[in-house]
């Protein structure tokens, strides 16, 4: 597991350049361009289980969901940031990608420190310290547990159809 | 206790007496906007649409604007699939290439009214706060789910109240005002929040309000909104909307805000957002040593006839500097026609401007006006992120149409008051 560490205001153009927005939608097309203008090494070296730690306002910019779809597809376990931009946070819920707002943990983290994540318990361990993060509200948890918004929607529509 | 605009609009939508910031509510948005990304959106649910049907064709609006005319075979195929979808599901509110940028089209085609809740798979959907709508961006997956269900969830946002005082000075525009506000609040200063504009908004035209609301997302806001006044009513009347068709919403005087701020419009000066963040704002006068190889007037932020009018007034009979190039990107066909009727496009083209078709053009870096490494562009668009205009090693500066026009004359960033 590797930690990728970035700063504040990492925007959607850095995460997935706008020039590909209307030509790449599938995870396989997205993967090679992930973080292309921010950190060209990322797409080459990222492994399932890796974690991204970043500063404030991660994912600001476009409603482009490719960064979230791509990060999920390469198996990023979580993005831990001081804060997230709104549409990006929503996209994380919709794709079932774990986005954790933990400003104290990010503040504490120094490159090279060991990071462990226990998502079920809501705990991040960095070096010797533990940071807890709250579970999402039940309305949102349903979406994440169903495996994303589309699966959740299909489930609801089928339940409705049965009731009728 | 009183309610904010956001609380009131969601109380109405859910049929409740009151809702509070922080609550999660489910409701049916009045409109769902998609653009060229509709191909990818409908792809996600093609089978499901066959099984469950489309929730409400009346709710859906599609505008082709991002890569128009098609750039290559892939984008052409996307457009073709969208046209087929529109046919198959009887989407009446479809606007093909050349109509304009989706946000401008939504407002001018009478698709957004005061008091509506609108979502769109584009971050600048917040633009319709100009006409008192709660309008906000969503992603493609959410738009796909909405095609099936027609409804979605919202966390009722906390609110920020911004008082505007006085009026803007000559050659200082709404763009300078919103850049000043974003510079002060920061790119994340309004994260998750509803931003309400109060005070002397009567001095701001509908175009001004559109520019300001459009950039709400650049300070992280969920939506940015103006009250309905005589200016709004005048605009709605002019596009043929009758009074009984809408019911506006505004906050109570004793609502609770996360933050309250005041901006004195008389003190605003022409400002420029410098690379690579929208909140890196500096007075234009401090950047006069910065040479620019491209100047762009247009996009959904500042591509209206009034913007070309201001630029034409500044340029007059002069020519664009041979050291730079000027691109003109109208927000819509209708705004292009108005600017043609006024003679402003002719003035700008004679000065050396290059007219692009109404749409998003170079703003997203996919085509038409992409930058080369080492180049700098001064633009009236809404984002200056690294790589935004198609090249990682280029720089984008954001400014008002007046500042961009002045810069086109000199080939370097120029305060418009210096060339008049």
């Amino acid at each position: 597991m590797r930690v990728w560490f970035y700063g504040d205001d990492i925007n959607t153009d850095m995460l997935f350049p706008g020039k590909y927005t209307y030509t790449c939608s599938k995870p396989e097309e997205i993967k090679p361009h992930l973080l292309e203008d921010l950190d060209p090494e990322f797409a080459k070296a990222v492994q399932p289980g890796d974690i991204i730690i970043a500063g404030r306002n991660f994912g600001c910019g476009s409603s482009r969901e490719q960064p979230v779809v791509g990060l999920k597809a390469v198996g990023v376990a979580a993005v831990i940031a001081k804060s997230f931009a709104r549409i990006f946070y929503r996209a994380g819920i919709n794709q079932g990608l774990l986005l954790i707002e933990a400003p104290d943990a990010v503040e504490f983290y120094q490159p090279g420190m060991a990071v462990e994540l226990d998502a079920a318990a809501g705990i991040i361990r960095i070096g010797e310290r533990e940071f807890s993060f709250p579970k999402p509200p039940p309305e949102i948890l349903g979406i994440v547990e169903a495996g994303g918004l589309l699966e959740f929607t299909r489930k609801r529509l089928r339940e409705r159809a049965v009731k009728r | 206790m009183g309610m904010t605009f956001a609380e009131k609009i969601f109380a109405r939508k859910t049929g409740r007496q009151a809702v509070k910031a922080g609550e999660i509510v489910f409701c049916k948005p009045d409109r769902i906007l998609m653009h060229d990304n509709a191909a990818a959106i409908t792809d996600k649910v093609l089978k499901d649409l066959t099984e469950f049907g489309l929730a409400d064709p009346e709710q859906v609006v599609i505008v082709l604007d991002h890569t128009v005319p098609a750039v290559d075979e892939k984008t052409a195929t996307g457009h073709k699939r969208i046209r087929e979808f529109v046919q198959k599901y009887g989407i009446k509110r479809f606007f093909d290439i050349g109509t304009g940028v989706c946000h401008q089209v939504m407002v001018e085609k009478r698709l957004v009214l005061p008091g509506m809740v609108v979502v769109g798979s584009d971050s600048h959907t917040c633009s319709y706060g100009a006409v008192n709508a709660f309008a906000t961006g969503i992603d493609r997956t959410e738009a796909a789910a909405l095609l099936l269900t027609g409804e979605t969830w919202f966390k009722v946002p906390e609110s920020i109240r911004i008082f505007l005082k006085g009026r803007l000075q000559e050659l200082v525009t709404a763009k300078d005002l919103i850049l000043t506000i974003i510079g002060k609040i920061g790119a994340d200063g309004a994260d998750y929040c509803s931003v309400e504009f109060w005070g002397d908004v009567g001095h701001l035209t509908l175009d001004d309000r559109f520019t300001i609301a459009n950039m709400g997302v650049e300070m992280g806001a969920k939506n940015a909104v103006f009250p309905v006044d005589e200016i709004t009513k005048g605009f709605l009347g002019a596009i043929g909307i009758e009074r009984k068709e809408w019911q506006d919403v505004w906050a109570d005087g004793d609502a609770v805000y996360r933050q309250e701020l005041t901006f004195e419009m008389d003190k605003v000066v022409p400002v420029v957002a410098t690379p690579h963040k929208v909140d890196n704002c500096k007075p234009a006068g401090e950047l006069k040593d910065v040479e620019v190889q491209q100047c762009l007037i247009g996009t959904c932020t500042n591509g209206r006839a009034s913007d070309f009018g201001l630029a034409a007034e500044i340029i007059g009979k002069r020519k664009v500097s041979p050291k730079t190039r000027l691109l003109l990107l109208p927000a819509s066909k209708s705004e292009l026609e108005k600017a043609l009727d006024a003679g402003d496009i002719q003035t700008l083209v004679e000065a050396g401007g290059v007219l692009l078709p109404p749409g998003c053009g170079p703003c997203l870096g996919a085509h038409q006006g992409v930058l080369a490494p080492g180049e700098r562009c001064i633009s009236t668009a809404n984002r200056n992120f690294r790589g935004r205009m198609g090249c990682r090693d280029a720089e984008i500066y954001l400014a008002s149409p007046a500042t961009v026009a002045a810069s086109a004359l000199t080939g370097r960033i120029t305060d418009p008051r210096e060339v008049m």
Side-chain angles (χ1 to χ4, degrees), chain B residues 316-337:
Chain B
K317 298 215 174 295
R318 291 179 278 185
K319 301 280 181 216
V320 168
S321 161
K323 290 182 182 163
T324 193
R325 50 191 187 262
L326 172 65
L327 303 182
L328 312 167
L329 179 68
S332 72
K333 176 172 181 276
S334 159
E335 290 298 317
L336 169 61
E337 284 169 348

Side-chain angles (χ1 to χ4, degrees), chain A residues 7-161:
Chain A
D8 290 341
D9 300 309
I10 302 301
N11 63 60
T12 46
D13 280 277
M14 289 171 170
L15 296 173
F16 183 80
K19 59 190 169 192
Y20 307 125
T21 321
Y22 300 99
T23 49
C24 301
S25 303
K26 298 188 182 81
E28 292 312 311
E29 298 167 329
I30 296 170
K31 281 181 187 176
H33 301 299
L34 272 179
L35 278 65
E36 187 171 280
D37 286 344
L38 175 66
D39 179 359
E41 203 206 339
F42 181 86
K44 288 182 215 145
V46 66
Q47 295 287 331
D50 285 3
I51 287 174
I52 293 175
I53 296 183
R56 284 162 31 170
N57 205 24
F58 189 87
C60 59
S62 295
S63 70
R64 194 175 302 161
E65 73 179 11
Q66 285 97 327
V68 182
V69 173
L71 293 177
K72 177 88 181 164
V74 296
V76 163
V79 184
I80 302 168
K82 287 187 183 172
S83 66
F84 292 92
R86 184 195 146 262
I87 303 175
F88 190 88
Y89 191 74
R90 227 173 147 90
I93 293 166
N94 292 342
Q95 299 300 333
L97 173 68
L98 188 59
L99 304 182
I100 302 168
E101 260 190 10
D104 294 351
V106 175
E107 200 65 54
F108 181 74
Y109 176 79
Q110 296 292 326
M113 283 178 156
V115 179
E116 262 181 76
L117 178 66
D118 185 341
I123 289 172
I124 307 161
R125 286 185 201 91
I126 301 179
E128 301 297 301
R129 283 224 10 220
E130 278 194 0
F131 299 87
S132 60
F133 58 92
K135 272 193 168 186
E139 296 93 333
I140 308 302
L141 212 54
I143 298 172
V144 178
E145 281 169 357
L149 181 66
L150 282 179
E151 284 312 316
F152 175 78
T153 303
R154 287 177 185 125
K155 205 172 118 208
R156 269 178 63 211
L157 286 168
R158 286 198 189 103
E159 282 164 6
R160 261 196 228 169

Side-chain angles (χ1 to χ4, degrees), chain B residues 84-256:
Chain B
E84 287 164 358
F85 173 80
V86 162
Q87 280 286 321
K88 184 170 175 189
Y89 286 96
I91 312 277
K92 281 179 269 171
R93 297 184 169 118
F94 170 64
F95 302 91
D96 213 319
I97 67 160
T99 318
V101 185
C102 56
H103 306 306
Q104 180 66 26
V105 171
M106 284 288 279
V107 173
E108 73 186 25
K109 296 289 182 186
R110 304 187 285 177
L111 299 173
V112 187
L113 301 176
M116 275 189 174
V117 171
V118 181
V119 294
S121 52
D122 187 283
S123 60
H124 294 106
T125 300
C126 53
S127 304
Y128 330 140
V131 290
N132 191 246
F134 183 95
T136 196
I138 56 171
D139 64 49
R140 293 176 175 186
T141 295
E142 191 154 359
L146 270 156
L147 291 178
L148 297 172
T149 62
E151 61 167 31
T152 192
W153 63 275
F154 295 90
K155 186 171 181 181
V156 180
E158 288 188 284
S159 298
I160 294 176
R161 177 153 68 171
I162 295 182
F163 286 97
L164 300 175
K165 276 193 173 165
R167 64 188 308 165
L168 295 166
Q169 294 183 35
E170 209 181 342
L171 299 177
V172 180
T173 72
K175 181 59 160 284
D176 299 302
L177 173 60
I178 187 62
L179 286 175
T180 301
I181 293 174
I182 295 169
K184 162 101 180 167
I185 291 188
D188 65 345
D191 260 0
Y192 313 117
C193 282
S194 168
V195 176
E196 298 175 5
F197 290 97
W198 290 64
D200 297 332
V201 294
H203 294 313
L204 299 172
T205 65
L206 201 94
D207 287 0
D208 292 338
R209 298 175 194 193
F210 197 120
T211 300
I212 293 167
N214 175 274
M215 294 194 67
V217 67
E218 308 308 332
M219 49 178 158
K222 186 166 191 167
N223 73 296
V225 68
F226 286 84
V228 167
D229 61 5
E230 291 312 311
I231 286 172
T232 331
K233 287 176 190 165
F235 168 78
L236 295 169
I239 60 171
I241 293 168
E242 290 179 43
R243 177 64 192 86
K244 61 180 184 214
E245 292 179 64
W246 49 267
Q247 200 186 351
D248 59 306
V249 174
W250 198 238
D252 297 319
D254 59 344
V256 177

